[in-house]
Amino acid sequence: MKYLISGGGTGGHIFPAVSIANALRELDPQADILFVGALGRMEMERVPQAGYPIIGLPVRGFNRAQPWKNISVVIDLLRSMRMAKRIVRDFRPDVGVGVGGYASGAAMKVAAKMGVPILLQEQNGFAGVTNKLLKDDAAKICVAYENMERFFPADKIILTGNPVRQNLTSGVRTKKTDAKTLLIIGGSLGARTINEAIAEGLPRLHQAGIQVVWQCGKVYYDQCQQRLAAFLQTLPKEESKDWIRCEAFLTDMPTEYANADLVISRAGASSISELCLLGKPCILVPSPNVAEDHQTHNAMALVNKEAAVLVKDMDAKNDLVDTALTLIQDDKQLQSLHSHILTLAQTDSAKRIAEEVIKLIKK
């Protein structure tokens, strides 16, 4: 069977797409899988690293701030549609899977017009523009949040959750330290507001006597290291400096999550799915720099179920560290958050989505 998977632009689209492809391979070892992405975007590097071929389209997002610059964007969109038509004609997929992002719009629209059944996967609690535009072309739409009927036809919706990195759930890992541990993750590129709040709060974090693991992102790594080094130099020489680690990127996330008593995170769909699956008490700081403010919608789905604490990005510099220090010492509240967030976990999401994809072919 031939599977066409399209989408990308961010890790939040790419990781679920690759997880779905891996699950399809497990269910159908002879699967012929082809990805379609956007030239110059992250998927053109990450998908081949995962072992799958990918073709790039010259598609780009519209410039909402300067509409007069969109003439070239429309030309590239038309070129992408022609390329997508050629890809579908040559590859002849049995089914298409769209995960959102620029390329997904062109590839899935063309595939549906050419009679290929398509399945969409929506990661966020507020549906993305591409998937909303494709809703009438889709046979099934797999979602991660309840109440998505406001965006999609109810009879097409299947609640599957978001696929997460497979290594997070393979094997049981236990906490390796007795000390209360705060894990800060702002995404692979980092989060400026979170980093500034942590840098300002270093004296209070040290005074609290907790362990801190700070993933600041590669963009902010140098300046965060400088702020940390300057603070550590103010401490007496005999004091241990191993209470805090500042890293650009954390490679062993299963161990980091296992050690964490509390996590500070952005509210991207993939991060929230991981936190739910692992039952981690968390403070969510939604990024204000995303389309339709969808990270706030993601976060509120947890906050409304008493499964997370919300600190607004604009309040983070003043409130984030104090909120974290109060919460990490409150075992009763940590246990309550743990219990509530676990109830929102969706297990085996990638496999369940892959099964729905295969059902479409069988139909």
Side-chain angles (χ1 to χ4, degrees), residues 130-265:
T130 300
N131 281 346
K132 284 192 284 191
L133 290 173
L134 290 169
K135 67 176 189 269
D136 295 330
D137 299 298
K140 291 292 177 186
I141 304 170
C142 294
V143 301
Y145 292 90
E146 297 172 346
N147 305 316
M148 296 300 283
E149 296 83 1
R150 57 204 167 123
F151 304 111
F152 305 124
D155 60 331
K156 295 183 179 184
I157 293 174
I158 306 167
L159 183 64
T160 58
N162 282 322
V164 299
R165 291 172 278 192
Q166 272 101 335
N167 67 342
L168 286 179
T169 52
S170 58
V172 178
R173 292 167 179 84
T174 54
K175 186 172 168 63
K176 293 179 179 177
T177 172
D178 292 331
K180 286 289 180 75
T181 302
L182 176 65
L183 172 63
I184 302 137
I185 44 175
S188 56
L189 297 178
R192 182 176 56 83
T193 314
I194 293 177
N195 287 334
E196 286 178 353
I198 297 303
E200 292 281 330
L202 286 171
R204 281 168 289 154
L205 290 166
H206 173 253
Q207 196 173 9
I210 63 171
Q211 291 282 316
V212 178
V213 179
W214 179 14
Q215 178 185 285
C216 61
K218 61 183 181 182
V219 175
Y220 303 101
Y221 180 68
D222 289 342
Q223 63 193 70
C224 289
Q225 280 284 21
Q226 287 169 8
R227 292 286 296 273
L228 177 58
F231 171 68
L232 292 177
Q233 283 177 353
T234 67
L235 301 179
K237 283 187 178 179
E238 64 274 11
E239 283 205 26
S240 168
K241 305 289 195 286
D242 60 6
W243 60 275
I244 185 167
R245 276 169 43 221
C246 178
E247 308 278 0
F249 193 73
L250 296 170
T251 53
D252 186 4
M253 284 308 297
T255 298
E256 305 295 358
Y257 275 131
N259 284 332
D261 295 279
L262 177 65
V263 181
I264 293 174
S265 174

Side-chain angles (χ1 to χ4, degrees), residues 324-345:
L325 289 176
T326 300
L327 182 54
I328 203 168
Q329 303 295 355
D330 187 341
D331 290 337
K332 188 176 177 183
Q333 178 67 354
L334 290 176
Q335 183 57 44
S336 174
L337 289 169
H338 166 73
S339 301
H340 287 131
I341 199 169
L342 266 183
T343 66
L344 303 178

Side-chain angles (χ1 to χ4, degrees), residues 25-90:
R25 274 269 162 86
E26 286 183 21
L27 295 173
D28 178 8
Q30 302 303 313
D32 188 358
I33 298 172
L34 176 65
F35 277 76
V36 175
L39 287 170
R41 304 292 292 196
M42 194 191 295
E43 60 266 28
M44 300 307 296
E45 182 181 339
R46 295 292 174 85
V47 169
Q49 285 173 355
Y52 296 100
I54 186 169
I55 298 173
L57 304 179
V59 66
R60 293 177 286 143
F62 281 92
N63 188 331
R64 298 180 188 183
Q66 300 168 305
W68 61 90
K69 292 189 175 180
N70 285 325
I71 295 172
S72 62
V73 177
V74 172
I75 292 170
D76 283 341
L77 176 60
L78 294 174
R79 283 176 58 211
S80 297
M81 299 287 275
R82 282 198 300 273
M83 286 178 66
K85 190 172 183 180
R86 196 157 57 242
I87 292 166
V88 173
R89 193 174 59 232
D90 293 346

